[in-house]
Amino acid sequence: MAQTAAKLVLEPIFEADFEDNAYGYRPRRGAGDAIGEVHRLLCPGFTDVVDADLSKYFDTIPHDDLLESVARRVVDRHVLHLIRLWLKVPVEERDGDGTRRMSGGRDSGTGTPQGCVVSPLLSNIYMNRFLKHWRLTGRDDVFRARVISYADDFVILGRGHAAEALAWTRSVMARLGLTLNEAKTSVKDARQESFDFLGYTFGPHRFRKDGHWYLGASPSKKSVQRLKTKVGDLLVPGNHGTWPVVRLQLNRLLVITQGVQTCVRTATSVRGRTSWTCFRP
């Protein structure tokens, strides 16, 4: 309850400071908005992509640097002390084989406890340092690129200079105490290669009606499989719930999925119908 109260007070304060290209865990913004913005940038030619992945972002955020970011907007020492205490909360987790594992605690100097109400806000505050530094140093113009961020997931879309943007990002993240997962981070040409972001696959798509190639977005294979699994779990013969109850659960699941797809279609319908032959692999 204390964390919820703190979030209600702190969130409007930091919302005024967050960059416009951050979409995760923010009021009136969501994954669909980020997906739509990625597609809007791809269509006019921002096709040189840095498909980035941060290694254990939530577990590696430095406490001292994070609190320094919070203190720039909050001067109440009691609130700062509470946040420090919340960052030190020990968390018990279990691995896939059921092995118990403890993380965090009094001696920990990094990480935001996942599952805590304020953790998404705190993670956004720290990620904002990177996004703000990108803007203040004029990287949009230097690299002819844009960043789209959703919590710890982000992509850089540009017109050339993707390798330079990646090198710069790697250096800045290191100064922030964060690291890129090199095995999952890559540079791609979206006209030739696909990349996944927030459950969608972007890149070359074939128009079924006449076989034309176009630059588009569609649910990723993993997202489709997750949806099939969830639907299958609801419709198994062993589900003894009444049909009205099962139907309500199924509709809720499909409405959430349809909501994201509708947002993407709305954002890209005008360009999408005229871009089937814009970029041929």
Side-chain angles (χ1 to χ4, degrees):
M1 184 177 294
Q3 289 193 20
T4 302
K7 179 177 179 292
L8 290 173
V9 174
L10 295 176
E11 189 170 63
I13 296 174
F14 286 99
E15 268 296 313
D17 195 45
F18 285 158
E19 296 295 308
D20 289 338
N21 52 350
Y23 293 89
Y25 308 122
R26 297 182 61 186
R28 298 175 297 281
R29 288 178 173 235
D33 300 308
I35 293 166
E37 184 62 20
V38 170
H39 192 278
R40 275 192 291 269
L41 288 168
L42 287 173
C43 287
F46 288 83
T47 54
D48 294 295
V49 180
V50 177
D51 184 10
D53 184 87
L54 284 172
S55 180
K56 298 181 179 179
Y57 173 66
F58 291 93
D59 295 331
T60 56
I61 298 175
H63 289 173
D64 290 341
D65 292 340
L66 172 58
L67 287 168
E68 179 182 319
S69 296
V70 175
R72 290 172 182 166
R73 305 284 292 188
V74 177
V75 297
D76 191 310
R77 60 186 179 87
H78 300 294
V79 174
L80 295 174
H81 179 66
L82 267 179
I83 293 175
R84 183 179 289 277
L85 291 178
W86 290 332
L87 290 173
K88 300 293 184 180
V89 171
V91 178
E92 179 181 334
E93 300 174 302
R94 292 189 181 274
D95 298 330
D97 58 359
T99 304
R100 178 181 173 185
R101 183 170 63 90
M102 298 294 295
S103 60
R106 183 177 300 178
D107 297 330
S108 173
T110 60
T112 59
Q114 296 191 49
C116 290
V117 175
V118 296
S119 287
L121 175 60
L122 295 176
S123 67
N124 277 346
I125 291 171
Y126 200 65
M127 188 64 178
N128 197 58
R129 294 180 67 160
F130 168 73
L131 299 176
K132 187 177 291 292
H133 188 54
W134 174 282
R135 177 175 59 83
L136 294 178
T137 56
R139 297 299 122 176
D140 277 5
D141 296 328
V142 173
F143 298 136
R144 301 176 66 199
R146 306 290 186 269
V147 180
I148 303 299
S149 170
Y150 188 94
D152 59 327
D153 292 329
F154 69 97
V155 291
I156 301 173
L157 310 172
R159 293 173 169 169
H161 309 290
E164 294 94 324
L166 174 57
W168 185 88
T169 298
R170 184 184 291 115
S171 174
V172 172
M173 289 300 181
R175 294 202 299 271
L176 292 173
L178 306 171
T179 56
L180 292 175
N181 185 333
E182 298 295 344
K184 296 182 179 180
T185 297
S186 59
V187 173
K188 295 184 177 181
D189 181 352
R191 294 169 296 183
Q192 307 288 338
E193 305 170 272
S194 297
F195 67 96
D196 289 352
F197 181 61
L198 299 180
Y200 268 69
T201 297
F202 299 87
H205 286 61
R206 187 185 293 275
F207 186 47
R208 293 181 181 180
K209 183 176 292 187
D210 58 14
H212 280 132
W213 287 95
Y214 69 98
L215 198 59
S218 60
S220 67
K221 292 181 179 179
K222 288 184 179 180
S223 295
V224 172
Q225 186 55 51
R226 280 197 298 268
L227 178 61
K228 288 181 177 180
T229 300
K230 291 179 180 179
V231 171
D233 291 342
L234 284 175
L235 301 181
V236 292
N239 188 343
H240 299 297
T242 63
W243 171 239
V245 173
V246 174
R247 181 182 60 197
L248 180 61
Q249 293 172 332
L250 182 61
N251 284 340
R252 285 175 177 171
L253 175 62
L254 296 178
V255 163
I256 293 174
T257 305
Q258 183 67 23
V260 175
Q261 293 180 350
T262 300
C263 182
V264 176
R265 284 199 299 270
T266 301
T268 61
S269 59
V270 175
R271 293 184 185 275
R273 293 186 179 277
T274 60
S275 62
W276 294 329
T277 58
C278 286
F279 303 103
R280 184 185 298 275

